[in-house]
């Protein structure tokens, strides 16, 4: 949190309306929250993988945009936790709103024909995201953003469960996604609301073990994997509707992505 140990870091004074339980500038004078910054690799790398393979596979534009949005979330979150600036906070929050909006569209449209263009749905989601963006910029209170994001996330989860129960798909992707989201949520809550106790426990441990209790960093890890599997679930759902053949693969055995084939050729 701000002013930890009187350290004056490179980006001080910070202007963000949110701060986390990691001691600011404890690891580097140039990175406000070191572990909260580098843990965004678990958002950034799945975004890069998904973007590369969706372009290579000739995937519909909606999924290319979706993975680009995930990549932007990772970059924005990295910028925010590195600087704890208000600009960084907005670059962290706004891509999350737009990313979940894109995937809401992808999910709702998984069973539509390639020729169908749902202009009405696109406009409704666009207007909603623009309104949330304007409200967040004008009044960058974390509570308003979190409320809007949670409502959107709840809608996506409910819709995902509906599609998983009623359409052909690999349900394990959704189950893995929800499991990671629950773990991420638990880490976020403890880091946010039990920070003094968490710091006391962390400080009592050997220094080389202390990073293991940077729970907001674990929020990034688990939410990144949850997002990756949720994007894969939606991509898989769409691929099977189009009678394509999706295959789950992992980069370095850790970061999941989907390859899609038809008649033994990458689509």
């Amino acid at each position: 949190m701000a002013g930890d140990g009187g350290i004056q870091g490179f980006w001080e004074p910070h202007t963000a309306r949110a701060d986390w339980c990691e001691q600011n500038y404890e690891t580097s004078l140039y990175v406000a929250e070191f572990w909260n910054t580098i843990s965004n690799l678990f958002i950034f790398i799945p975004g890069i993988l998904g973007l590369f393979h969706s372009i290579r596979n000739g995937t519909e534009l909606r999924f290319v945009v979706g993975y680009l949005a995930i990549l932007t979330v990772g970059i924005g979150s990295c910028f925010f936790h590195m600087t704890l600036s208000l600009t960084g906070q907005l670059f962290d929050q706004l891509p999350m709103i737009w990313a979940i909006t894109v995937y809401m569209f992808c999910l709702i449209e998984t069973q539509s024909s390639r020729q169908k263009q749902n202009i009405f749905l696109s406009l409704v989601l666009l207007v909603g995201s623009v309104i949330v963006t304007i409200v967040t910029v004008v009044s960058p209170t974390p509570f308003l953003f979190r409320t809007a994001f949670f409502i959107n996330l709840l809608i996506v989860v409910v819709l995902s469960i509906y599609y998983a129960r009623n359409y052909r798909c690999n349900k394990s992707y959704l189950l893995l996604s929800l499991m990671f989201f629950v773990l991420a949520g638990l880490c976020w809550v403890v880091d946010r609301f039990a920070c003094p106790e968490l710091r006391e426990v962390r400080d009592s441990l050997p220094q080389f073990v202390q990073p293991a209790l940077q729970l907001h960093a674990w929020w990034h890890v688990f939410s990144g994997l949850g997002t990756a599997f949720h994007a894969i679930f939606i991509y898989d759902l769409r691929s099977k509707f189009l009678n394509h053949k999706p295959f789950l693969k992992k980069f370095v055995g850790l970061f999941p992505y989907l390859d899609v084939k038809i008649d033994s050729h990458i689509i």
Side-chain angles (χ1 to χ4, degrees):
M1 290 185 175
D4 293 332
I7 298 174
Q8 186 70 19
F10 181 79
W11 302 99
E12 288 293 317
H14 76 257
T15 53
R17 306 291 176 85
D19 201 351
W20 304 96
C21 198
E22 181 177 353
Q23 301 268 15
N24 293 349
Y25 298 103
E26 184 177 47
T27 304
S28 170
L29 291 177
Y30 298 97
V31 181
E33 296 175 340
F34 179 82
W35 298 106
N36 289 351
T37 299
I38 65 169
S39 56
N40 282 292
L41 285 172
F42 281 81
I43 303 172
F44 181 85
I45 291 177
I48 282 282
L49 289 170
L51 181 63
F52 172 78
H53 287 283
S54 60
I55 292 174
R56 191 189 71 167
N57 294 351
T59 305
E60 292 168 295
L61 181 61
R62 66 186 76 170
F63 290 102
V64 175
V65 174
Y67 279 116
L68 183 61
I70 291 175
L71 176 59
T72 306
V73 169
I75 295 172
S77 181
C78 186
F79 178 45
F80 167 50
H81 288 287
M82 182 176 70
T83 65
L84 288 180
S85 65
L86 181 57
T87 301
Q89 179 184 324
L90 293 175
F91 272 107
D92 174 45
Q93 294 175 345
L94 296 179
M96 292 173 67
I97 292 294
W98 287 93
I100 202 166
T101 299
V102 171
Y103 276 102
M104 192 182 300
F105 176 86
C106 292
L107 184 58
I108 294 172
E109 289 293 290
T110 51
Q111 307 302 303
S112 64
S113 67
R114 276 183 174 271
Q115 291 72 34
K116 181 183 176 182
Q117 301 294 327
N118 197 332
I119 303 300
F120 176 76
L121 176 63
S122 301
L123 287 175
V124 169
L125 294 177
L126 176 63
V127 170
S129 295
V130 169
I131 291 173
V132 173
T133 298
I134 293 172
V135 170
T136 302
V137 171
V138 172
S139 180
T141 304
F143 175 77
L144 295 176
F145 157 75
R146 290 168 189 163
T147 301
F149 181 78
F150 179 78
I151 291 172
N152 284 336
L153 180 61
L154 187 61
I155 292 171
V156 168
V157 169
V158 171
L159 286 173
S160 297
I161 293 172
Y162 168 79
Y163 280 104
R165 294 184 62 181
N166 291 280
Y167 296 98
R168 189 162 57 102
C169 64
N170 191 325
K171 297 179 177 62
S172 66
Y173 299 153
L174 179 60
L175 291 175
L176 283 169
S177 172
L178 296 179
M179 178 193 73
F180 281 124
F181 282 145
V182 169
L183 290 173
L186 290 173
C187 290
W188 190 94
V189 168
V190 174
D191 182 87
R192 191 65 186 162
F193 297 107
C195 181
E197 295 81 3
L198 179 61
R199 282 187 172 183
E200 184 176 350
V201 173
R202 196 160 58 208
D203 291 343
S204 69
L205 297 173
Q207 191 170 8
F208 72 93
V209 179
Q210 291 179 9
L213 286 183
Q214 298 290 355
L215 294 191
H216 194 80
W218 283 109
W219 147 261
H220 290 154
V221 172
F222 292 135
S223 63
L225 292 173
T227 299
F229 274 109
H230 209 131
I232 287 170
F233 164 74
I234 297 172
Y235 192 4
D236 175 79
L237 190 66
R238 178 62 173 170
S239 298
K240 287 177 178 172
F241 171 78
L242 296 173
N243 291 319
H244 298 156
K245 298 177 182 179
F247 297 90
L248 180 69
K249 295 183 178 181
K250 291 184 179 180
F251 176 66
V252 298
L254 184 60
F255 300 100
Y257 65 93
L258 207 65
D259 243 348
V260 181
K261 297 183 180 181
I262 181 169
D263 295 333
S264 299
H265 296 286
I266 299 291
I267 63 171

